[in-house]
Amino acid sequence: MHIPQGRLADFRKRLPLWVEAVAGEILCSSAIDTRVAYAPKGAGKYLLKGTNPVYAGWYGVNHVYQGIVHGKRSGFSRSLGPTVRKRLGIKPRRPYFTAKP
Protein backbone atom coordinates (compact mmCIF):
# COMPACT_ATOMS: atom_id res chain seq x y z
CA MET A 1 0.00 0.00 0.00
CA HIS A 2 1.07 3.58 -0.48
CA ILE A 3 1.51 5.70 2.62
CA PRO A 4 2.43 9.35 2.04
CA GLN A 5 5.90 10.13 3.39
CA GLY A 6 4.51 12.65 5.89
CA ARG A 7 2.20 10.02 7.42
CA LEU A 8 4.60 7.05 7.46
CA ALA A 9 5.87 7.46 11.06
CA ASP A 10 2.30 7.73 12.38
CA PHE A 11 1.22 4.71 10.29
CA ARG A 12 4.09 2.60 11.64
CA LYS A 13 3.15 3.56 15.19
CA ARG A 14 -0.54 2.73 14.78
CA LEU A 15 -0.28 -0.40 12.63
CA PRO A 16 0.58 -2.84 15.46
CA LEU A 17 -2.39 -1.57 17.47
CA TRP A 18 -4.75 -2.13 14.52
CA VAL A 19 -3.36 -5.62 13.86
CA GLU A 20 -3.70 -6.59 17.53
CA ALA A 21 -7.29 -5.29 17.61
CA VAL A 22 -8.21 -7.61 14.74
CA ALA A 23 -5.89 -10.59 15.12
CA GLY A 24 -4.82 -10.61 18.75
CA GLU A 25 -1.41 -10.31 20.36
CA ILE A 26 1.58 -10.04 18.03
CA LEU A 27 3.96 -12.81 19.09
CA CYS A 28 6.75 -12.36 16.54
CA SER A 29 8.77 -9.16 16.12
CA SER A 30 8.98 -9.69 12.35
CA ALA A 31 5.21 -10.16 11.90
CA ILE A 32 4.78 -6.60 10.63
CA ASP A 33 7.04 -5.41 7.81
CA THR A 34 6.83 -1.78 6.70
CA ARG A 35 9.78 -1.59 4.31
CA VAL A 36 9.68 0.78 1.37
CA ALA A 37 8.56 -1.17 -1.70
CA TYR A 38 11.03 -1.93 -4.46
CA ALA A 39 9.59 -0.79 -7.81
CA PRO A 40 6.12 0.07 -6.43
CA LYS A 41 4.94 1.51 -9.73
CA GLY A 42 5.62 -1.81 -11.48
CA ALA A 43 3.78 -3.73 -8.76
CA GLY A 44 0.85 -1.35 -9.02
CA LYS A 45 0.69 -1.79 -12.78
CA TYR A 46 0.77 -5.55 -12.34
CA LEU A 47 -2.21 -5.38 -9.98
CA LEU A 48 -4.13 -3.05 -12.30
CA LYS A 49 -3.82 -5.13 -15.47
CA GLY A 50 -7.22 -6.73 -14.82
CA THR A 51 -9.00 -3.41 -14.42
CA ASN A 52 -11.93 -2.35 -16.59
CA PRO A 53 -10.58 -1.91 -20.16
CA VAL A 54 -12.06 1.60 -20.22
CA TYR A 55 -9.69 2.70 -17.44
CA ALA A 56 -6.60 0.63 -18.33
CA GLY A 57 -5.18 3.30 -20.65
CA TRP A 58 -5.74 6.00 -18.04
CA TYR A 59 -3.55 4.03 -15.64
CA GLY A 60 -1.00 3.25 -18.34
CA VAL A 61 -1.49 -0.53 -18.29
CA ASN A 62 -2.38 -3.10 -20.91
CA HIS A 63 -5.67 -4.73 -19.99
CA VAL A 64 -5.56 -8.51 -19.46
CA TYR A 65 -8.86 -10.32 -18.90
CA GLN A 66 -8.74 -12.08 -15.51
CA GLY A 67 -12.26 -13.39 -15.22
CA ILE A 68 -15.35 -12.05 -13.49
CA VAL A 69 -14.89 -10.48 -10.06
CA HIS A 70 -17.96 -10.36 -7.85
CA GLY A 71 -18.01 -7.45 -5.42
CA LYS A 72 -15.41 -4.76 -5.07
CA ARG A 73 -12.14 -5.47 -6.88
CA SER A 74 -10.14 -2.68 -5.27
CA GLY A 75 -10.49 0.66 -3.58
CA PHE A 76 -8.88 2.98 -1.07
CA SER A 77 -9.15 3.56 2.63
CA ARG A 78 -11.65 6.22 3.64
CA SER A 79 -8.85 7.77 5.71
CA LEU A 80 -6.82 8.25 2.51
CA GLY A 81 -9.67 8.94 0.07
CA PRO A 82 -10.64 12.08 -1.84
CA THR A 83 -12.74 13.63 0.95
CA VAL A 84 -9.96 13.44 3.54
CA ARG A 85 -7.34 14.52 1.01
CA LYS A 86 -9.46 17.56 0.17
CA ARG A 87 -9.89 18.41 3.87
CA LEU A 88 -6.09 18.16 4.34
CA GLY A 89 -5.51 20.35 1.29
CA ILE A 90 -3.78 17.62 -0.72
CA LYS A 91 -4.35 18.12 -4.43
CA PRO A 92 -4.46 15.01 -6.66
CA ARG A 93 -2.01 14.80 -9.54
CA ARG A 94 -4.95 14.04 -11.84
CA PRO A 95 -8.69 14.21 -11.16
CA TYR A 96 -10.19 10.87 -10.13
CA PHE A 97 -11.84 8.78 -12.85
CA THR A 98 -11.42 11.24 -15.69
CA ALA A 99 -9.77 10.79 -19.06
CA LYS A 100 -6.05 11.36 -19.36
CA PRO A 101 -5.37 14.82 -20.89
Side-chain angles (χ1 to χ4, degrees):
M1 72 172 44
H2 171 73
I3 307 296
Q5 189 63 38
R7 309 222 22 221
L8 188 56
D10 184 50
F11 177 81
R12 285 181 171 154
K13 180 180 171 185
R14 293 176 184 221
L15 183 60
L17 302 173
W18 296 331
V19 171
E20 285 184 343
V22 175
E25 183 182 1
I26 299 170
L27 301 175
C28 177
S29 63
S30 64
I32 297 176
D33 185 354
T34 56
R35 288 178 291 168
V36 175
Y38 172 76
K41 193 170 189 176
K45 285 188 170 191
Y46 174 78
L47 294 172
L48 286 171
K49 69 183 181 179
T51 193
N52 184 320
V54 173
Y55 299 111
W58 188 82
Y59 288 113
V61 298
N62 295 321
H63 175 262
V64 176
Y65 180 73
Q66 296 180 328
I68 296 172
V69 175
H70 298 282
K72 189 174 181 179
R73 183 181 191 100
S74 67
F76 48 82
S77 167
R78 288 185 292 168
S79 64
L80 300 173
T83 303
V84 172
R85 291 173 61 86
K86 184 176 180 181
R87 186 174 64 229
L88 294 173
I90 301 169
K91 303 245 187 270
R93 285 176 262 177
R94 288 189 271 177
Y96 296 100
F97 304 110
T98 61
K100 196 179 204 178

